[in-house]
Amino acid sequence: MLPSFGYVTDHPGFRGTIKNSPSDFIVTEIEMPERLLRGARAESLQKTSEAPLEQSSPCLQHPKKLRTEPPGPRVEGCHGGAPSPLERDPRRVGGRRSATPDKNRHEAEPDAKPGLEEASTLDSLLGEPMSELLNKFACDLRDAWGLENNTDAGTREISLGPVLDKKNRADLHSAVRQKFPFLVTVTKDNEMIVKGNADYRELCQLVTEKETSDFFKFLDAKLENSTFSFEPDGNKEHRKVVHHFINRKFGKLLETKSFTVTDVNDQPNMSIMVRFREKSWSRKRSAGGFQEKQELYTAFTLQKENLETLEAIGFLAAELGVLPSDFSYTGIKDKKAITYQPMVVKKVTPERLKEIGSKVEKKGMRIHNIHSACQHLRLGQLKGNHFDIVVRDLKHHSHDSSVDLKERISEAMENVKTKGFVNYYGPQRFGQGQNVQTDQIGLALLNEKMVKAVKLFFTPEDTDDPVNNAKRYFLQSEDAKGALVMLPEFKVREKMLLRALNRYGVNHEGCTKGWLNIPHSMRIFYVHAYCSKIWNEAASYRLKIYGSKVVEGDLVLSEENAESVSLNDKVHVVTAPEESANKYSINQVVLPMVGHSIKYPSNKVGQWYRERLSEDELQMCKFRVSPLQLNIPGCYRPILKNVQNLSYFLEGSEKGIEIEDNRLKESKVSLHISFDLDPSCYATVCLREIMKCDF
């Protein structure tokens, strides 16, 4: 694991094995007190809030169209009107059917005459003469669009004159777009200009005009939690073109996904569902200005066994019909263990989550403590973790056979309880035992070597199973489509990447889009793994050259807790007089996690950082990967950490604890250890310090 790394204690330790089974390594997250209070409050409000919440939640397994006004493919007042290109040539998307009336309308919703409300609004805002001119412009533009080789259709525009009042301009923008979805409005020095929407015209080449009109009304309405679905489409290549169009034109605002639906003939078919990306809902415009968003969140405790956290989220997302990015959590938990951790899922009701309980149990998961929540979780938003660990096959180290093993265990426990341990990142941070470590992928991303990062990501292990066979096939053939078919459904990250690679190609641009196709938390995970590796090496170097003495140029973290004080202002550089006076202890020394907003030690350790980054061609790195929307400011991590609430006991085999000459008989006893660690501390690293073993 960390064979070249150091220790802070000097006891000999002992040997043993861990994680012989998942039940030998149990991890329970310790929640923040304020989160426990919020959870209790949310649970008390559950009965009153569940009904409206469920109504607002989009069911992603059965997508529905958002209904605003009953759209018509013709402009009111236009006689005839040119048919859309699709209506002229329905063969262009073989396998599609024409639009049908929306079956998902609310029963109490009255019918309205198309465009009536918008027309009266426009008349009141513009006056009837200007409103009629706008209507004629819209009709003429539609007629021009219907003519082949019409060169001026895209340049036509009409001025509605100056509109000085800001609210009136906003109302006018909205009224024009709702009545004429194929038009766009712009303001130039308070003058309102109207012209044709080229994106609307392009989408009409791909789908029916009713769908195009509905889509742009959905886009303009920006109703929270709303989704829009195109008509069922059995042509996979055509669906790919529609996906590509929306991602190219509206990728920062919208995301798309294909779902299985039932068509009018009760036959299974595929439909493209569209929804707004999470960050586009940070604020919502209302008549009175801006108001904070109201989102649907459901909290629960996830119990998993022998599963990675991200793999478990992939299973849950597939069952619930949502995206992995809809889940939030405070940290990644061990795979070969039984772990308990709070999670929050967005856009899923508590009832829906309860429905999948029996299915996820087959995958090694259980869901507990389901209740409504107020907001999502953030990484690091936990008090710590509690560990219950069993160490088996206890033995002396080969060079230490003359001392009682029981005394060795007691000595080790007391030593670490008093002095702590070196705060290394553990092996699970880097993908222990894998052919490619996660930090290698992170380095490639920092260097913006997108193709290399993708190929490292798909490097298979030396096993014969569906996942690794699919990875092996992709690396040999670069056939993303074929690899997609081979991969199991739960490999969500791999499938997200492959779908983008199939669409855009295995080149720099395509691989960049591929990485953007997976959630931000997954992208940043690999970069953080690289930063963690550098920190581990820096900590070892610092302890090797200076030991436990605090020296000039070291960084220490002040106890200033004022929120107005920046992180860098809390970090103090030790001076020569402070070193002489032994003002600080090694427990106060921190080392930086590399990033663009940290400062380095002003001694040999700072120089080491610069030389180490140069080895990886990162001497000029700004730690911002703009193409992937990654920002790495950096932070500070204490070199040493203390263990809390450490307790242990010895348990014998079936025959009990055997004693020979007042000593424990080797291999017949297991060691049960319980302790708490702060966030981002690793139990395997603490055990390494206790036992002087590399796992």
Side-chain angles (χ1 to χ4, degrees):
M1 170 184 140
L2 308 168
S4 63
F5 292 174
Y7 300 99
V8 70
T9 55
D10 57 4
H11 59 265
F14 53 92
R15 289 188 292 164
T17 59
I18 63 171
K19 298 188 177 182
N20 289 274
S21 69
S23 60
D24 280 355
F25 204 97
I26 300 176
V27 187
T28 306
E29 185 170 307
I30 307 171
E31 295 188 53
M32 300 285 279
E34 58 266 31
R35 265 177 47 208
L36 291 170
L37 290 172
R38 282 201 303 270
R41 178 177 176 274
E43 197 162 9
S44 69
L45 295 173
Q46 185 173 350
K47 290 184 179 180
T48 59
S49 63
E50 276 177 6
L53 285 174
E54 187 160 358
Q55 291 172 7
S56 67
S57 173
C59 180
L60 300 188
Q61 288 186 322
H62 303 283
K64 300 179 181 180
K65 284 191 177 180
L66 171 75
R67 184 178 184 274
T68 52
E69 293 293 326
R74 304 285 181 266
V75 180
E76 185 183 4
C78 292
H79 301 287
S84 73
L86 178 63
E87 292 167 320
R88 289 199 306 268
D89 185 11
R91 295 169 298 172
R92 97 171 47 239
V93 288
R96 291 181 52 82
R97 65 176 180 82
S98 61
T100 58
D102 189 352
K103 295 181 180 181
N104 300 315
R105 289 173 48 184
H106 298 298
E107 291 180 8
E109 188 175 26
D111 288 328
K113 185 177 178 180
L116 187 61
E117 183 179 343
E118 294 92 338
S120 61
T121 303
L122 285 173
D123 286 349
S124 64
L125 290 170
L126 293 174
E128 286 192 21
M130 180 58 74
S131 182
E132 289 177 5
L133 283 175
L134 176 61
N135 197 72
K136 183 177 185 306
F137 169 79
C139 292
D140 291 345
L141 181 69
R142 294 297 302 278
D143 289 341
W145 277 4
L147 300 175
E148 299 291 342
N149 301 320
N150 190 302
T151 56
D152 73 329
T155 61
R156 296 187 181 190
E157 60 181 43
I158 183 175
S159 171
L160 302 182
V163 183
L164 301 180
D165 184 80
K166 188 174 182 180
K167 185 179 185 303
N168 285 346
R169 283 203 306 271
D171 292 342
L172 188 53
H173 278 298
S174 178
V176 170
R177 290 196 301 264
Q178 282 296 313
K179 184 178 182 184
F180 308 111
F182 56 90
L183 298 180
V184 291
T185 56
V186 294
T187 303
K188 296 180 180 178
D189 299 325
N190 293 326
E191 182 184 10
M192 185 80 75
I193 306 295
V194 182
K195 54 187 177 181
N197 186 342
D199 293 338
Y200 185 102
R201 188 180 186 187
E202 185 175 347
L203 185 58
C204 274
Q205 307 285 331
L206 304 176
V207 299
T208 64
E209 185 162 359
K210 179 181 184 302
E211 291 173 279
T212 303
S213 177
D214 281 359
F215 171 78
F216 277 92
K217 287 190 176 185
F218 156 79
L219 186 62
D220 184 61
K222 291 187 175 66
L223 294 181
E224 195 167 1
N225 292 334
S226 62
T227 62
F228 174 85
S229 297
F230 287 96
E231 294 297 330
D233 181 359
N235 188 322
K236 186 174 182 180
E237 291 304 313
H238 177 262
R239 290 199 310 272
K240 188 189 299 185
V241 174
V242 177
H243 277 296
H244 191 189
F245 169 82
I246 295 173
N247 289 334
R248 176 165 49 89
K249 296 291 186 179
F250 312 104
K252 291 184 178 181
L253 182 67
L254 303 174
E255 57 188 358
T256 63
K257 190 172 184 179
S258 290
F259 279 88
T260 302
V261 295
T262 302
D263 62 21
V264 289
N265 299 317
D266 291 327
Q267 297 298 314
N269 208 333
M270 298 299 292
S271 174
I272 296 175
M273 189 273 291
V274 186
R275 73 177 189 184
F276 291 93
R277 291 189 182 276
E278 178 182 355
K279 60 185 177 184
S280 67
W281 289 118
S282 58
R283 309 182 85 185
K284 186 180 82 171
R285 183 180 290 276
S286 65
F290 285 104
Q291 64 184 31
E292 293 300 319
K293 66 176 181 179
Q294 294 296 319
E295 194 65 273
L296 168 62
Y297 297 101
T298 296
F300 62 99
T301 298
L302 175 67
Q303 174 189 342
K304 64 178 182 65
E305 180 174 331
N306 210 28
L307 273 177
E308 293 179 354
T309 300
L310 298 180
E311 189 176 16
I313 288 174
F315 281 128
L316 293 172
E319 286 294 336
L320 293 168
V322 297
L323 299 174
S325 56
D326 290 324
F327 289 83
S328 58
Y329 47 90
T330 63
I332 302 291
K333 300 292 184 265
D334 301 72
K335 177 182 179 180
K336 195 171 182 181
I338 296 176
T339 68
Y340 298 83
Q341 66 183 120
M343 284 194 177
V344 172
V345 61
K346 189 173 59 174
K347 300 186 177 74
V348 174
T349 63
E351 291 76 16
R352 176 72 186 106
L353 191 57
K354 290 173 185 176
E355 289 174 2
I356 68 168
S358 59
K359 290 184 178 180
V360 300
E361 280 191 28
K362 299 174 183 177
K363 302 292 186 180
M365 293 178 283
R366 289 187 178 182
I367 300 173
H368 309 282
N369 191 29
I370 300 173
H371 60 273
S372 297
C374 303
Q375 60 186 22
H376 61 80
L377 297 175
R378 298 188 307 274
L379 288 173
Q381 188 187 0
L382 71 162
K383 186 177 180 181
N385 291 290
H386 175 77
F387 297 89
D388 294 294
I389 299 170
V390 181
V391 184
R392 303 189 185 276
D393 305 319
L394 297 172
K395 297 179 182 179
H396 291 88
H397 282 301
S398 57
H399 57 275
D400 179 38
S401 59
S402 60
V403 180
D404 184 0
L405 182 57
K406 186 176 180 179
E407 288 186 12
R408 280 292 182 237
I409 294 171
S410 177
E411 175 189 31
M413 294 296 179
E414 293 305 316
N415 220 355
V416 171
K417 187 186 293 187
T418 303
K419 297 182 179 179
F421 58 95
V422 185
N423 194 22
Y424 291 123
Y425 288 94
Q428 57 267 53
R429 183 79 166 186
F430 312 105
Q432 184 181 24
Q434 296 178 355
N435 289 335
V436 170
Q437 304 281 283
T438 53
D439 60 274
Q440 294 173 262
I441 300 173
L443 174 58
L445 293 176
L446 279 171
N447 280 317
E448 298 192 23
K449 297 179 179 179
M450 304 303 181
V451 177
K452 180 179 180 180
V454 164
K455 292 190 174 181
L456 287 170
F457 179 84
F458 282 106
T459 298
E461 302 303 315
D462 302 324
T463 55
D464 183 14
D465 59 79
V467 173
N468 286 295
N469 287 340
K471 290 182 175 181
R472 200 171 290 114
Y473 172 79
F474 173 73
L475 284 188
Q476 292 169 352
S477 65
E478 294 191 357
D479 176 12
K481 185 176 181 180
L484 261 172
V485 175
M486 298 171 67
L487 268 175
E489 282 299 319
F490 67 87
K491 301 306 287 185
V492 177
R493 281 173 292 174
E494 289 81 353
K495 281 184 168 288
M496 284 177 164
L497 259 174
L498 287 171
R499 287 190 185 103
L501 297 176
N502 182 42
R503 191 176 302 170
Y504 301 111
V506 188
N507 48 43
H508 180 83
E509 181 183 0
C511 290
T512 300
K513 290 183 180 293
W515 285 111
L516 282 171
N517 212 39
I518 68 175
H520 179 271
S521 60
M522 293 182 180
R523 297 197 299 275
I524 200 74
F525 170 78
Y526 295 105
V527 175
H528 283 167
Y530 172 79
C531 299
S532 303
K533 177 187 177 183
I534 297 301
W535 191 96
N536 276 1
E537 294 178 10
S540 290
Y541 178 78
R542 164 63 182 76
L543 292 172
K544 179 181 178 181
I545 62 169
Y546 295 130
S548 296
K549 180 177 173 57
V550 181
V551 301
E552 180 182 2
D554 273 339
L555 304 180
V556 294
L557 200 59
S558 73
E559 297 180 358
E560 176 63 62
N561 290 321
E563 292 184 3
S564 59
V565 178
S566 69
L567 182 59
N568 272 340
D569 289 337
K570 294 179 183 179
V571 174
H572 171 70
V573 182
V574 177
T575 64
E578 289 170 337
E579 176 187 346
S580 301
N582 293 319
K583 182 175 180 179
Y584 300 103
S585 73
I586 187 65
N587 297 83
Q588 294 172 279
V589 176
V590 297
L591 285 174
M593 282 275 282
V594 291
H596 60 70
S597 296
I598 51 93
K599 54 187 173 186
Y600 293 100
S602 59
N603 52 29
K604 291 181 180 179
V605 180
Q607 181 61 30
W608 178 91
Y609 269 101
R610 287 184 281 274
E611 292 173 357
R612 181 64 185 83
L613 292 176
S614 294
E615 291 177 17
D616 288 334
E617 302 177 0
L618 293 176
Q619 62 272 24
M620 302 300 291
C621 182
K622 302 298 182 184
F623 290 95
R624 287 185 175 92
V625 188
S626 299
L628 298 184
Q629 301 169 12
L630 297 180
N631 179 44
I632 306 96
C635 61
Y636 300 91
R637 182 177 175 89
I639 292 180
L640 301 185
K641 270 291 182 178
N642 292 317
V643 60
Q644 296 104 41
N645 303 319
L646 175 63
S647 64
Y648 69 97
F649 66 89
L650 294 163
E651 183 180 56
S653 63
E654 295 177 358
K655 297 180 181 179
I657 299 178
E658 298 185 28
I659 306 294
E660 292 184 1
D661 299 328
N662 295 320
R663 297 184 185 180
L664 289 178
K665 187 173 181 181
E666 292 184 347
S667 302
K668 298 293 184 181
V669 182
S670 59
L671 172 65
H672 293 247
I673 313 175
S674 294
F675 54 83
D676 298 339
L677 293 179
D678 287 342
S680 191
C681 292
Y682 290 78
T684 47
V685 174
C686 181
L687 286 175
R688 176 182 180 271
E689 188 82 45
I690 292 171
M691 299 170 62
K692 299 296 186 285
C693 280
D694 286 311
F695 299 109

